[in-house]
Amino acid sequence: MKRLFIILSIILLINSYYANSQIEYSVDKWMEYVEELALETEDTERIESLYADLSYLTEHPFDLNAVTEEQLKRLPFLSDRQIEQLLSYRKRYGNMVSIYELKNIEDIDVSGKRVLVRCDFNVPQNKETGEITSDKRIVAALPTIKYLLENGAAVIACSHLGKPKGEWKESLSLAPVAKRLSELLGMDVIFAKDIIGEDAKAKAAALQPGQLLLLENLRFDKREEKNGADFAEELAKMADVYVSDAFGTVHRAHASTAGVAAFLPAYAGFLVEKEISVMGKALSDPARPFVAILGGAKVSDKIGVINNLLEKADTIIVGGGMAYTFKMAQGHTIGKSLLEADRVEYAKEMMDKAAAKGVKLLLPVDSICAAEFAKDAAPVEAGEDIPEDLMGMDIGPKTVEMYKDAVKGAGTVVWNGPMGVFEFASFNKGTFAMAEAV
């Protein structure tokens, strides 16, 4: 049976590959630059310095955390914008290492240590009773929690639940999660009535090895989603080690997923390690045909992604708002559709590059359009050329069938971004159809 890796919402991984692809590209170009410079200058000290940095980057091409800002600025083929993006990536994700050098909880002696574990306990609940209707996410966190407890750690678990938007809401309390967690583990789970308040700090300070404390809903504090440094620091003060095990939220730069890693040694839990290893293999050694589905609004958000995937994928499917910049590059009219005029030439380059490499770059052949960007806008079908009074909101039925055929025999599928404005019921059919096809 063919292996099929289905990867949805891989923003963190794509960002990682974007950053890494820039470094890999620069190593090759930098080697040419240094060799040419060595023939033209007698500044041996500078040449030796460049070679030393080049040697380091060649040996550690994916170790973004260890590459200094000074080294990046010396790269003659990295623009200031690219350097800014690389540094922003590192700042955003703290000291979490890249997927090829990921450290997990088995790499540290946790005995006697207080370990803050970011879990994903965002479980579905009955709106009337508050009863948890599926505990799969809680169960998924158990291997990491059990390992830490069995190896002598005092575990402080934290998570968000729902979207309280910085307000305390009883219906979104993690108390039911604490109860279910206690049942699954067969032990008492201590529950804090706040997050970084007196109750949480007192219980964390008194926590003994082999005990488990669950903090209240992180998003009851508005600083969580804003990645507030003060909030992250207070979380970190309760522990000695940080473990990231909430795979569904690691792509978000929040205080508990990114900020806290700047204050504590950071490690991956078993769930994150498992998911990332699967994705890493899917991109480094994919079962073929390898099909990539790219959606979303802007081409500029996917520049590194597209470049990287052109080196790896057999087929790239493009949907969402970004598709219309490519359609403009093909010479079609796109009406009022989303357009990045400054990326049209780039789109042409990518199409030419795909053709040269034998990669199928599939673009919509029809669209579902509307006269305005509104939830209740009337859907109108259009072909490859969109009338000037309409804007593309979703891929059309012919495109859906073409894209479904493209993924039918795939060995690996990587998907990042919707095919249209899926938040609006009238324009979500393309995204849902692709999900079903995958």
Side-chain angles (χ1 to χ4, degrees):
M1 181 180 293
K2 287 187 177 181
R3 295 172 293 164
L4 179 61
F5 298 101
I6 304 173
I7 304 172
L8 304 175
S9 302
I10 55 170
I11 299 174
L12 175 60
L13 183 64
I14 291 296
N15 282 345
S16 175
Y17 267 85
Y18 173 36
N20 296 336
S21 68
Q22 301 297 346
I23 292 177
E24 286 183 296
Y25 171 79
S26 296
V27 168
D28 294 334
K29 290 292 185 180
W30 203 13
M31 173 66 82
E32 297 174 12
Y33 171 81
V34 175
E35 289 175 345
E36 291 177 4
L37 190 63
L39 297 174
E40 298 173 1
T41 180
E42 296 181 0
D43 188 351
T44 56
E45 184 175 339
R46 172 161 171 71
I47 295 299
E48 288 175 0
S49 176
L50 288 170
Y51 268 121
D53 289 345
L54 174 61
S55 176
Y56 181 85
L57 289 177
T58 303
E59 294 172 6
H60 308 277
F62 292 95
D63 191 0
L64 178 59
N65 292 306
V67 178
T68 67
E69 181 175 350
E70 183 179 349
Q71 285 175 319
L72 290 175
K73 288 184 176 178
R74 289 179 192 166
L75 288 168
F77 291 92
L78 269 186
S79 68
D80 289 343
R81 175 59 179 161
Q82 289 171 329
I83 292 173
E84 180 185 336
Q85 289 174 325
L86 288 169
L87 295 176
S88 175
Y89 170 84
R90 179 161 57 190
K91 181 179 180 181
R92 179 174 180 179
Y93 294 106
N95 60 1
M96 180 178 287
V97 294
S98 67
I99 62 173
Y100 288 108
E101 299 183 3
L102 194 70
K103 294 180 181 179
N104 73 14
I105 52 179
E106 294 179 309
D107 294 321
I108 182 175
D109 180 6
V110 296
S111 179
K113 291 182 170 64
R114 291 194 302 274
V115 180
L116 178 68
V117 185
R118 178 51 160 101
C119 303
D120 183 4
F121 294 149
N122 187 29
V123 294
Q125 295 174 285
N126 183 298
K127 293 182 179 180
E128 295 181 0
T129 65
E131 180 183 357
I132 295 172
T133 56
S134 173
D135 63 4
K136 287 184 179 179
R137 291 184 178 181
I138 301 175
V139 171
L142 295 182
T144 293
I145 293 174
K146 285 181 177 179
Y147 175 87
L148 294 170
L149 293 172
E150 291 168 0
N151 283 273
V155 178
I156 304 169
C158 61
S159 176
H160 76 283
L161 177 61
K163 299 179 179 180
K165 298 181 180 179
E167 298 179 6
W168 196 95
K169 295 182 179 180
E170 186 175 358
S171 62
L172 295 178
S173 171
L174 283 176
V177 172
K179 180 175 181 293
R180 184 60 182 140
L181 195 55
S182 176
E183 294 169 350
L184 290 169
L185 289 170
M187 61 178 285
D188 290 334
V189 173
I190 303 166
F191 183 62
K193 297 178 182 179
D194 51 30
I195 310 164
I196 56 172
E198 293 182 5
D199 190 55
K201 288 181 178 179
K203 289 176 177 176
L207 203 63
Q208 299 299 308
Q211 291 186 321
L212 173 61
L213 167 67
L214 176 62
L215 304 180
E216 185 53 282
N217 191 336
L218 291 164
R219 292 187 183 175
F220 282 175
D221 192 309
K222 62 183 179 181
R223 293 172 292 178
E224 158 65 1
E225 292 185 89
K226 294 182 178 180
N227 195 10
D230 56 340
F231 182 69
E233 186 173 11
E234 289 302 312
L235 279 173
K237 285 180 180 178
M238 291 188 280
D240 306 302
V241 176
Y242 169 69
V243 171
S244 173
D245 209 36
F247 181 74
T249 60
V250 291
H251 64 286
R252 301 186 185 281
H254 292 172
S256 67
T257 57
V260 71
F263 299 99
L264 290 173
Y267 296 82
F270 293 138
L271 178 60
V272 163
E273 182 188 38
K274 175 185 174 183
E275 297 288 355
I276 288 182
S277 67
V278 170
M279 291 194 299
K281 184 174 179 59
L283 289 176
S284 63
D285 183 25
R288 299 204 178 264
F290 176 11
V291 178
I293 306 172
L294 296 180
K298 296 182 178 181
V299 175
S300 57
D301 290 340
K302 302 288 195 299
I303 288 176
V305 179
I306 298 171
N307 253 323
N308 195 9
L309 288 174
L310 282 172
E311 302 294 334
K312 304 174 185 292
D314 300 299
T315 300
I316 297 177
I317 292 172
V318 179
M322 63 183 290
Y324 298 106
T325 297
F326 281 90
K327 296 304 291 183
M328 175 66 80
Q330 284 185 322
H332 292 288
T333 58
I334 62 170
K336 299 189 294 182
S337 303
L338 186 64
L339 170 67
E340 288 185 279
D342 61 337
R343 298 298 179 183
V344 172
E345 287 303 314
Y346 171 79
K348 289 180 181 177
E349 291 175 12
M350 291 303 98
M351 289 188 288
D352 290 342
K353 185 175 180 179
K357 289 183 171 293
V359 177
K360 295 179 181 177
L361 183 62
L362 302 182
L363 298 169
V365 294
D366 61 344
S367 298
I368 302 299
C369 305
E372 58 180 340
F373 188 87
K375 184 177 182 179
D376 57 353
V380 180
E381 285 191 30
E384 288 204 88
D385 291 300
I386 298 175
E388 62 180 15
D389 60 336
L390 296 176
M391 64 181 71
M393 300 281 277
D394 192 11
I395 56 175
K398 292 180 182 178
T399 302
V400 167
E401 292 306 312
M402 179 176 69
Y403 286 3
K404 285 168 64 176
D405 286 342
V407 302
K408 193 171 293 182
T412 301
V413 177
V414 172
W415 187 356
N416 178 247
M419 297 291 97
V421 188
F422 74 102
E423 300 93 333
F424 298 165
S426 296
F427 307 103
N428 64 15
K429 293 179 177 59
T431 300
F432 288 175
M434 290 307 298
E436 291 174 1
V438 171

